[in-house]
């Protein structure tokens, strides 16, 4: 497995649109979707190779975009090395945020507590970690972990650009051509006068080492020719890009799964103060969580769904395991569409299981699943994985942070 | 067989510089937090800018004027119904071989072939013109204006307004034009002349604001050849 680490620096506002079905407002996304990076790169390559419409792709273009194991372009999230907060992360309703910010009571994860309470048949209703009894709510978005265990929320800032068409004969504003466009800001000025550009980071995963090296070289050479999103012909979407070719780090999945199970069983013991469980925790069974680091397009028997069921996972992994059980699911849905430049048409509106969704599963054959899940962390699950959908994180360390030790 | 390492650098990026000869008033719609009715447009760092959309629109307008003057049939932007390849209710000789674009149905006038239309992507990318002077070094000016009642020759009720302008200094704005590989070669000639025609940008041009001149080095990069001039001159034939 080869990986190219992409760092994108905005040089002008980015109009990465997100139009909801039936809506008339074009909102800006909070990140750069993999499909946008993939589409912009494909457009640049096709123009440079003087590709004619209707011709089949060949050579490196086919290997990157159309072959069975085409390259995976992950979403580029704001900041450097940012991750998606799981849907099980909670923080104060009135004053949400990590403890690294002054006056915040912190963020904690509820996945393992939800599992224990459900198994014990006890309602789970967490309150603020400072003991004040204040209400808590799901805390979404992106986070990054700095040196040590200092966590920080990462977000982009946006603004509205208003544009108007000019009636050429009267030299005044034309009727019905006034519109506002929400864009991601190119950066912000610090209080000390320093300029802080908006940074985004993502990955491209490929199988072929030579192709990865060639692509990284190409991206660095043509870094200033890539423009992302809408309005690129009128000043928007300019980015500079740095690509770093690296061998994908060897996954530490076995250790993560072991640590996750240890934490789960410790937590289970702590929950025993509330009474004897109606169903004990089987010692032969091992547990693992699958957290969506990007929206996933999941389908079961041709129908769209937002829950990753054991049959779906077995089919996806081509691995039969009768002992696989879905213990818990925290997921929601959204819609995505987009524009396909090659078709000249809108992409179909898809129902997407939202990023941050978490599924807790258990099995008695964990050793079989570890290499499969490790591969899935790169290749993703569901449909349109080459565009960044379906990226997962198995047994995230974020789930180890409980109510009494908020981040 | 396409190899990434062998792909050429085919698009042309032309740096563009303009020097202001008067104060500038490029209004930002929907802004708040200013006393002015029409505040200045700034980027996220607070730098003054002339948006690429405005410059592209002005360039298109000038190119349309020039091409029509040379006898070419040109559609009527910005209304998508009246642009190529639809052109509802527009007469003119659009059915000519020069207006065919490979891979796209219908005919596309000379200006659409550079600036794009609802069916054809633009082959010219215009970047914002940004003033590199730090915002702290610039003091914005508020200019009051009032509408007069022509019969009474006194100030009209509720017609007092404030326009924010840049200081009247020789500020340099820089940006770029990027010509994509499929941009027709005669596009350079049209753009060069169009830039010569643009003497002011922004609002209140007729009241003396926004006058500027282009850096000769920028225009030198758009030097066309005789064949391009000859092609453009053949519009009426």
């Amino acid at each position: 497995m080869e990986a190219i680490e992409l760092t994108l620096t905005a040089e002008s506002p980015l109009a990465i649109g997100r139009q909801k079905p039936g809506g008339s407002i074009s909102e800006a996304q909070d990140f750069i979707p993999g499909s946008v990076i993939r589409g912009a790169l494909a457009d640049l390559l096709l123009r440079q190779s003087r590709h004619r419409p209707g011709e089949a792709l060949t050579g490196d273009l086919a290997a990157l975009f159309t072959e069975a194991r085409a390259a995976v372009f992950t979403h580029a999230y704001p900041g450097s090395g940012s991750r998606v907060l799981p849907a099980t992360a909670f923080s104060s309703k009135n004053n949400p945020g990590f403890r690294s910010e002054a006056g915040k009571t912190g963020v904690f994860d509820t996945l393992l507590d939800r599992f224990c309470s459900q198994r014990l048949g006890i309602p789970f209703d967490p309150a603020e970690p400072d003991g004040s009894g204040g209400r808590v709510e799901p805390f979404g978005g992106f986070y990054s972990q700095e040196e040590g265990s200092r966590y920080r929320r990462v977000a982009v800032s946006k603004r509205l650009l208003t544009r108007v068409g000019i009636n050429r004969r009267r030299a005044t504003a034309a009727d019905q051509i006034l519109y506002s466009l929400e864009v991601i800001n190119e950066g912000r000025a610090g209080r000390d006068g320093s300029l802080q550009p908006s940074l985004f980071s993502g990955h491209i995963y490929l199988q072929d080492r030579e192709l990865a090296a060639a692509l990284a070289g190409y991206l660095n050479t043509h870094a200033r020719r890539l423009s992302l999103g809408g309005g690129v012909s009128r000043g928007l979407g300019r980015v500079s890009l740095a690509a770093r070719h690296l061998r994908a780090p060897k996954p530490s999945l076995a250790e993560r799964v072991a640590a996750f199970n240890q934490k789960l069983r410790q937590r289970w013991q702590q929950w025993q103060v509330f009474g004897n469980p109606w169903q004990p925790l089987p010692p032969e069974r091992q547990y693992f969580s699958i957290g969506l680091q990007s929206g996933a397009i999941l389908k079961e028997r041709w129908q769209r769904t937002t829950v990753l069921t054991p049959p779906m996972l077995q089919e996806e992994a081509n691995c039969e395991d009768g002992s696989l059980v879905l213990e818990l699911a925290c997921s929601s849905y959204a819609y995505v569409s987009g524009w396909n430049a090659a078709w000249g048409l809108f992409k179909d509106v898809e129902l997407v299981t939202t990023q941050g969704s978490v599924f807790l599963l258990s099995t008695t054959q964990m050793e079989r699943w570890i290499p499969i899940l490790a591969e899935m962390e790169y290749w993703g699950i569901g449909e349109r994985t080459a565009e960044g959908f379906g990226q997962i994180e198995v047994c995230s360390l974020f789930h180890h942070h409980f109510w009494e030790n908020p981040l | 067989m396409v190899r990434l390492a062998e792909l050429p650098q085919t698009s042309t990026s032309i740096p563009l510089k303009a020097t202001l000869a008067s104060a500038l008033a490029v209004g930002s719609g929907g802004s708040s937090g200013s006393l002015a009715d029409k505040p200045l447009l700034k980027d996220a760092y607070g730098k003054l800018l002339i948006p690429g959309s405005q410059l592209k629109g002005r360039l298109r307008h000038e190119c349309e004027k020039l091409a029509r003057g040379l006898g070419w049939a040109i559609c009527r932007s910005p209304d998508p119904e009246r642009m190529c390849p639809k052109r509802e209710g527009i007469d003119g000789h659009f059915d000519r071989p020069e207006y065919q674009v490979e891979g796209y149905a219908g005919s596309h006038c000379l200006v659409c072939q550079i600036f794009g239309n609802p069916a054809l992507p633009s082959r010219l990318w215009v970047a914002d013109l940004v003033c590199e002077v730090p915002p702290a070094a610039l003091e914005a000016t508020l200019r009051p204006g009032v509408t007069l009642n022509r019969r009474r020759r006194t100030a009209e009720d509720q017609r007092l307004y404030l326009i924010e302008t840049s200081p009247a200094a020789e500020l340099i704005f820089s940006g770029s034009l990027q010509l994509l590989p499929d941009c027709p070669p005669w596009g350079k000639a049209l753009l060069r002349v169009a830039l010569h025609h643009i003497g002011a940008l922004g609002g209140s041009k007729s009241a003396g604001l926004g006058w500027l001149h282009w850096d000769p080095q920028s225009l030198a990069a758009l030097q066309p050849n005789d064949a391009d001039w000859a092609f453009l001159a053949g519009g009426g034939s």
Side-chain angles (χ1 to χ4, degrees):
Chain A
M1 171 63 69
E2 303 296 320
I4 295 172
E5 188 184 67
L6 294 180
T7 306
L8 301 155
T9 308
E11 292 190 342
S12 71
L14 305 178
I16 311 286
R18 174 182 57 177
Q19 194 154 8
K20 293 175 180 168
S24 56
I25 298 170
S26 182
E27 298 173 16
Q29 298 263 33
D30 298 321
F31 58 90
I32 302 174
S35 56
V36 170
I37 302 170
R38 185 175 185 259
L41 179 64
D43 183 50
L44 182 64
L45 289 169
L46 292 176
R47 269 193 274 122
Q48 285 191 323
S49 62
R50 304 255 176 197
H51 181 265
R52 289 165 187 273
E55 268 181 15
L57 295 186
T58 56
D60 290 347
L61 289 187
L64 278 174
F65 299 113
T66 54
E67 283 183 357
R69 274 275 167 157
V72 169
F73 292 75
T74 69
H75 298 340
Y77 291 134
S80 178
S82 310
R83 306 202 71 80
V84 175
L85 280 159
T88 48
F90 273 63
S91 188
S92 165
K93 179 184 169 78
N94 295 323
N95 192 18
F98 285 104
R99 285 170 65 200
S100 56
E101 296 172 68
K104 308 286 183 187
T105 54
V107 182
F108 58 97
D109 191 83
T110 58
L111 177 70
L112 299 185
D113 284 331
R114 278 163 190 263
F115 168 72
C116 295
S117 68
Q118 181 181 294
R119 245 184 129 78
L120 286 165
I122 299 170
F124 176 59
D125 185 18
E128 273 204 60
D130 62 353
S132 64
R135 293 187 65 183
V136 288
E137 278 195 337
F139 184 68
F142 307 103
Y143 72 96
S144 70
Q145 191 180 1
E146 294 169 355
E147 299 255 335
S149 58
R150 199 177 142 86
Y151 284 73
R152 194 169 63 87
R153 194 174 188 190
V154 187
V156 291
S157 61
K158 302 176 193 175
R159 70 178 188 272
L160 271 182
L161 301 178
T162 302
R163 301 283 191 241
V164 63
I166 302 291
N167 181 315
R168 301 294 165 82
R169 294 192 171 190
R170 291 163 44 210
T172 53
D175 287 347
Q176 299 186 337
I177 311 184
L178 170 72
Y179 60 98
S180 287
L181 198 65
E182 194 180 41
V183 293
I184 300 174
N185 281 336
E186 60 270 42
R188 66 188 170 90
R191 285 184 184 168
D192 56 351
S194 61
L195 305 181
Q196 295 165 345
S198 297
L199 283 180
F200 297 86
S201 57
H203 287 90
I204 303 173
Y205 296 122
L206 317 93
Q207 273 183 321
D208 185 344
R209 185 165 204 180
E210 276 182 28
L211 180 61
L215 181 60
Y218 173 87
L219 287 168
N220 285 321
T221 311
H222 299 260
R224 303 190 76 81
R225 289 170 195 275
L226 206 66
S227 292
L228 303 175
V232 293
S233 71
R234 44 187 199 269
L236 304 182
R238 280 186 301 120
V239 291
S240 67
L241 181 149
R244 198 157 63 98
H245 177 208
L246 38 102
R247 268 197 92 77
K250 207 174 173 184
S252 54
L253 189 55
E255 293 89 53
R256 263 186 283 150
V257 170
F260 183 81
N261 277 278
Q262 193 188 359
K263 277 277 176 192
L264 187 143
R265 288 183 190 278
Q266 275 175 11
R267 201 64 180 168
W268 177 251
Q269 286 305 320
Q270 287 172 328
W271 272 80
Q272 301 310 303
V273 295
F274 294 112
N276 291 325
W278 59 275
Q279 202 180 355
L281 214 56
E284 74 284 1
R285 195 159 270 278
Q286 286 209 294
Y287 296 81
F288 63 95
S289 70
I290 292 183
L292 294 184
Q293 283 295 306
S294 64
I297 300 171
L298 304 175
K299 286 185 182 168
E300 187 172 29
R301 294 187 186 178
W302 303 88
Q303 291 186 324
R304 297 167 180 185
T305 176
T306 58
V307 177
L308 182 67
T309 61
M312 284 166 68
L313 193 60
Q314 289 176 67
E315 190 184 332
E316 187 85 29
N318 196 17
C319 171
E320 267 191 40
D321 177 5
S323 69
L324 193 65
V325 175
L326 176 68
E327 304 280 356
L328 203 66
C330 298
S331 66
S332 185
Y333 71 95
Y335 295 99
V336 291
S337 181
W339 181 261
N340 186 313
W343 301 340
L345 291 170
F346 267 110
K347 291 178 183 173
D348 288 343
V349 175
E350 297 273 9
L351 182 101
V352 170
T353 309
T354 48
Q355 61 193 33
S357 297
V358 183
F359 306 99
L360 179 67
L361 297 107
S362 69
T363 178
T364 55
Q365 302 174 31
M366 196 65 225
E367 64 289 348
R368 284 179 66 202
W369 281 98
I370 283 175
I372 294 168
L373 292 169
E375 277 283 296
M376 276 185 175
E377 282 196 331
Y378 294 117
W379 294 112
I381 56 170
E383 300 192 359
R384 288 170 61 183
T385 48
E387 297 170 39
F389 290 105
Q391 285 284 308
I392 62 168
E393 185 182 22
V394 179
C395 294
S396 167
L397 297 179
F398 199 92
H399 299 310
H400 296 196
H401 300 285
F402 303 120
W403 176 84
E404 63 271 23
N405 294 313
L407 293 168
Chain B
M1 181 77 82
V2 179
R3 295 257 166 246
L4 290 179
E6 295 160 10
L7 286 175
Q9 298 215 22
T10 43
S11 58
T12 314
S13 186
I14 296 159
L16 204 55
K17 257 186 195 172
T19 308
L20 281 185
S22 68
L24 175 77
V26 179
S28 56
S31 291
S32 58
S34 168
L35 281 176
D37 297 290
K38 190 178 159 192
L40 273 178
L41 184 60
K42 291 168 188 155
D43 69 5
Y45 304 118
K47 291 180 186 167
L48 297 181
L49 68 87
I50 301 169
S53 58
Q54 183 179 140
L55 180 57
K56 193 181 171 205
R58 274 304 300 278
L59 279 172
R60 181 171 192 135
H61 181 66
E62 299 301 334
C63 287
E64 285 178 7
K65 277 163 45 181
L66 290 162
R68 276 200 196 102
L70 289 166
W72 297 93
I74 301 296
C75 66
R76 296 212 182 275
S77 62
D79 182 354
E81 299 291 324
R82 307 186 76 199
M83 289 174 75
C84 298
K86 210 168 175 181
R87 299 187 307 272
E88 277 180 4
I90 297 179
D91 298 327
H93 181 33
F94 285 90
D95 188 20
R96 50 196 303 172
E98 297 95 326
Y99 285 7
Q100 302 305 311
V101 178
E102 193 183 348
Y104 292 90
S107 53
H108 304 267
C109 67
L110 290 198
V111 176
C112 281
Q113 287 183 40
I114 305 173
F115 292 91
N117 60 36
L120 182 71
S122 173
R123 278 99 164 257
L124 169 73
W125 290 1
V126 183
D128 296 341
L129 292 172
V130 183
C131 178
E132 293 306 323
V133 179
L138 291 175
E139 198 175 328
T141 313
L142 285 180
R143 295 186 181 215
V146 66
T147 309
L148 293 184
N149 182 313
R150 299 294 161 85
R151 279 196 284 178
R152 291 163 45 212
R153 298 188 180 180
T154 54
E156 190 82 80
D157 283 349
Q158 299 183 344
R159 292 285 193 279
L160 173 69
Y161 58 89
L162 294 169
I163 296 178
E164 189 182 12
T165 69
S166 69
E170 285 205 346
L171 300 175
I172 296 174
F173 284 72
S174 43
S176 67
L177 299 178
Q178 195 175 341
L179 302 173
L180 302 191
D182 47 3
C183 185
W186 40 261
K188 274 187 180 181
L190 263 185
L191 289 171
R192 182 186 168 91
V193 187
L195 278 170
H196 270 293
H197 275 238
I198 298 175
L201 286 169
S204 302
K205 292 185 283 291
S206 62
L209 297 182
W211 289 81
L212 49 80
H213 52 85
W214 301 99
D215 177 19
Q217 290 293 323
S218 303
L219 302 184
L222 287 164
Q223 190 64 48
N225 57 33
D226 291 343
D228 299 334
W229 290 123
F231 172 84
L232 290 172
S237 57

